[in-house]
């Protein structure tokens, strides 16, 4: 039975790497191997690997009598540091915390409070070195008591409270645009444009919310999450709280760009401005890039 040579594992190029070495240390190794293991004559080995007879005899002498020469053929790779000062400083504390079923995020907070700075990745490696597995997902009541973000109300125009009140806001300048909106019947415009609408967030309130973001210079809809508790932007939009990022992003992607024209009365009824007190605050610092 004939064997096919179309897909040979050993090719002439692979063989030449050993038979015709290009690097000096490899050439010395292959020459010594041919002489000492394959028992070829000294003259033949010297001629095949490009040595003079005297130079090859010196190479054989060094190989027999110099241990450093033998060790030079195969060097052990240098290993990196086998310990980490950052992990070793907090190892005992981290082990004790994991025994309390604290997550790496909880551990990082407690260590930071104790004056130890360590990354989440280093804590994960430390726990793996100590033989701990990942914690199962915990319920909210099983987590340590920490400061949690305040949950904002759900945007719903039916919950808009127009009773007289006062509040502090850095966005009082939005109300300078109300005289301009007096000449636009925004509700009629959005109805004619057939913009998406719902009982909780009518189209006019959605458009006012997006307009407010443009007027205050918010570059992205995600920046609205910094303003969900601000009463001024909600009042400008005519809703109890400004809609969240996900709603505004989905809403803007559902509408077509149209040219709107028209003039009439205000878009939605609002309490007289004389019943409201606005206290201008310094602007919020710019977001980190």
């Amino acid at each position: 039975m004939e064997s096919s040579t179309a897909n040979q594992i050993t090719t002439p190029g692979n063989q030449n790497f050993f038979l015709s070495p290009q690097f000096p240390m490899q050439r010395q190794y292959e020459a010594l191997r041919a002489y000492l293991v394959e028992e070829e004559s000294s003259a033949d080995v010297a001629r095949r690997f490009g040595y003079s007879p005297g130079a090859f005899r010196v190479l054989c002498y060094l190989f027999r009598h110099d241990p450093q020469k033998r060790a030079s053929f195969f060097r052990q790779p240098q290993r990196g540091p086998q310990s980490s000062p950052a992990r070793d400083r907090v190892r005992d504390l981290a082990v004790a915390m994991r025994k309390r079923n604290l997550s790496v995020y909880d551990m990082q907070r407690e260590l930071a409070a104790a004056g130890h700075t360590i990354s989440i990745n280093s804590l994960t490696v430390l726990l793996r070195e100590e033989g701990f597995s990942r914690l199962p997902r915990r319920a909210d009541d099983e987590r340590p008591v920490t400061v949690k973000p305040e949950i904002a109300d759900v945007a719903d125009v039916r919950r808009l409270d127009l009773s007289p009140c006062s509040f502090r806001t850095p966005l009082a300048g939005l109300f300078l645009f109300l005289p301009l909106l007096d000449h636009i019947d925004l509700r009629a415009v959005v109805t004619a444009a057939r913009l998406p609408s719902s009982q909780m967030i009518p189209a006019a309130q959605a458009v006012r919310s997006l307009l407010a973001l443009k007027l205050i210079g918010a570059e992205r809809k995600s920046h609205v999450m910094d303003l969900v508790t601000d009463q001024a932007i909600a009042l400008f939009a005519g809703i109890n709280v400004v809609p969240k990022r996900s709603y505004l992003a989905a809403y803007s992607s559902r509408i077509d760009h149209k040219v709107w024209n028209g003039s009439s009365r205000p878009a939605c009824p609002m309490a007289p401005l004389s019943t409201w007190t606005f206290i201008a605050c310094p602007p919020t610092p710019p977001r980190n890039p």
Side-chain angles (χ1 to χ4, degrees), residues 177-226:
F177 293 90
L178 287 180
L180 299 177
L181 293 178
D182 280 343
H183 302 288
I184 303 174
D185 187 353
L186 189 58
R187 181 177 301 176
V189 172
V190 298
T191 301
R194 298 181 180 178
L195 296 184
S197 182
S198 66
Q199 290 185 353
M200 296 177 63
I201 307 177
Q205 277 69 15
V207 172
R208 280 176 177 266
S209 300
L210 292 169
L211 176 61
L213 293 178
K214 291 296 183 181
L215 292 176
I216 65 175
E219 298 179 0
R220 299 178 182 272
K221 300 178 185 66
S222 58
H223 295 176
V224 75
M225 300 306 294
D226 298 334

Side-chain angles (χ1 to χ4, degrees), residues 93-94 96-114 116 118-120 123-124 127 135-148:
L93 292 173
M97 292 177 184
R98 176 43 66 92
K99 290 181 179 179
R100 293 160 46 199
N101 286 335
L102 296 185
S103 68
V104 289
Y105 299 98
D106 302 330
M107 294 163 58
Q108 186 187 46
R109 282 194 294 268
E110 290 200 10
L111 290 173
H116 301 289
I118 187 170
S119 66
I120 293 296
L123 281 174
T124 303
L127 295 174
L135 287 179
R137 187 173 181 84
R138 298 173 295 175
D140 291 340
D141 56 351
E142 297 175 333
R143 300 176 185 272
V145 178
T146 57
V147 178
K148 297 181 180 180

Side-chain angles (χ1 to χ4, degrees), residues 169-281:
T169 176
L171 304 178
L174 282 173
F175 298 98
L176 297 176
F177 293 90
L178 287 180
L180 299 177
L181 293 178
D182 280 343
H183 302 288
I184 303 174
D185 187 353
L186 189 58
R187 181 177 301 176
V189 172
V190 298
T191 301
R194 298 181 180 178
L195 296 184
S197 182
S198 66
Q199 290 185 353
M200 296 177 63
I201 307 177
Q205 277 69 15
V207 172
R208 280 176 177 266
S209 300
L210 292 169
L211 176 61
L213 293 178
K214 291 296 183 181
L215 292 176
I216 65 175
E219 298 179 0
R220 299 178 182 272
K221 300 178 185 66
S222 58
H223 295 176
V224 75
M225 300 306 294
D226 298 334
L227 308 170
V228 292
T229 58
D230 189 275
Q231 292 177 271
I233 189 171
L235 180 61
F236 179 86
I239 198 169
N240 62 325
V241 292
V242 68
K244 310 301 187 295
R245 170 185 57 195
S246 57
Y247 176 86
L248 294 179
Y251 190 89
S252 61
S253 65
R254 292 168 58 192
I255 62 178
D256 297 329
H257 297 285
K258 297 180 181 295
V259 179
W260 293 350
N261 296 307
S263 60
S264 185
R265 53 189 176 81
C268 63
M270 299 181 65
L273 292 183
S274 59
T275 63
W276 294 81
T277 302
F278 306 104
I279 303 175
C281 301

